[in-house]
Amino acid sequence: MIVKRLGQVEYLPTLDTMRAFTAARDANTPDELWVCEHPATFTQGIAGKTEHLLDPGPIPVVQTERGGQVTFHGPGQIVVYPLIDLRRLNIFVKEYVFRLEAALIQTLERFGVTGFRVTGAPGIYVRPDAPAAHAAHTGPALPDDPFRGLAKVAALGIKVSRHCSFHGLALNVNVDLAPFQRINPCGYAGLETTSLDNLGLRVETAAVADVLVERLLAQLSP
């Protein structure tokens, strides 16, 4: 698999290039991982509702074909676009999402943070009160508040066309969290968003990206 480290790149030209790559690829095209950061940008999923954009202000909003609602990209957030032919792995979308989440959980574990899944809400969550704790937040189950005691540290938004994936995932390392207050993150009003820096970890974005790429290669290589 080819790994491309793009640095900080504008969102829209990257999206256009990703679309072109996916449209042009065939059965012999090598899979690629694109690793980058974006300037401040809100992106809206294909079923995104405008009411989840509370106050975008000067930050541009880009409509996309990925799944999910609205999220924020900015410097200090690692974005990875796995451009993968799922037929080579003999998997379908549900397994693909599981593997992306597994790579994120394994990456967080490397830095002493425990990541959690929430059923029906793709992405990875942590306990801000105890980032290294392995037990889920205790207390009575609240069906109307599945995020009780949790904050989102990584988001997923993918698209699969002709069995080939594009779009991808974003992990907050030391990103400015203020813009998340301008939206309902991933369509959930009041959902807390956090970052490794906000959890008290002082780590270089590049170091986290290296681990994330390693774990994605392990999860997505035939």
Side-chain angles (χ1 to χ4, degrees):
M1 192 182 303
I2 298 169
V3 178
K4 293 185 175 179
R5 299 179 184 272
L6 307 180
Q8 186 176 136
V9 289
E10 295 288 337
Y11 181 82
L12 193 53
T14 307
L15 174 59
D16 289 341
T17 304
M18 183 166 47
R19 287 168 170 164
F21 174 91
T22 303
R25 68 178 302 169
D26 58 30
N28 298 314
T29 303
D31 292 334
E32 298 189 0
L33 285 180
W34 295 2
V35 186
C36 64
E37 297 179 40
H38 293 304
T41 310
F42 291 121
T43 69
Q44 185 75 287
I46 191 168
K49 298 179 180 179
T50 56
E51 58 261 37
H52 295 310
L53 282 162
L54 306 178
D55 179 22
I59 300 175
V61 180
V62 179
Q63 302 293 324
T64 77
E65 65 276 86
R66 65 162 173 79
Q69 296 280 334
V70 63
T71 193
F72 171 73
H73 297 307
Q77 179 193 74
I78 302 166
V79 178
V80 183
Y81 298 121
L83 307 178
I84 307 294
D85 187 337
L86 300 184
R87 289 169 294 194
R88 290 184 184 141
L89 298 178
N90 194 30
I91 63 174
F92 295 99
V93 174
K94 186 176 181 179
E95 174 70 14
Y96 174 60
V97 170
F98 184 89
R99 294 191 186 196
L100 294 182
E101 291 179 334
L104 286 162
I105 290 170
Q106 292 165 2
T107 299
L108 292 173
E109 184 178 25
R110 192 77 63 88
F111 294 93
V113 175
T114 303
F116 296 93
R117 294 180 172 94
V118 172
T119 302
I124 298 300
Y125 304 80
V126 296
R127 287 183 54 183
D129 64 332
H134 290 279
H137 185 82
T138 57
L142 299 175
D144 60 341
D145 185 12
F147 308 109
R148 182 176 183 268
L150 298 174
K152 193 166 193 174
V153 73
L156 270 68
I158 66 167
K159 173 70 176 178
V160 176
S161 175
R162 297 180 298 115
H163 307 286
C164 295
S165 69
F166 61 117
H167 292 278
L169 55 90
L171 174 60
N172 299 333
V173 180
N174 54 20
V175 65
D176 179 11
L177 297 174
F180 287 102
Q181 301 298 315
R182 294 176 172 268
I183 61 174
N184 289 330
C186 304
Y188 296 102
L191 174 61
E192 182 181 351
T193 306
T194 192
S195 65
L196 297 186
D197 180 73
N198 197 50
L199 295 172
L201 277 75
R202 302 295 180 261
V203 290
E204 294 293 332
T205 305
V208 181
D210 286 345
V211 176
L212 180 54
V213 167
E214 172 199 313
R215 300 323 305 155
L216 284 168
L217 290 174
Q219 290 288 337
L220 300 176
S221 295

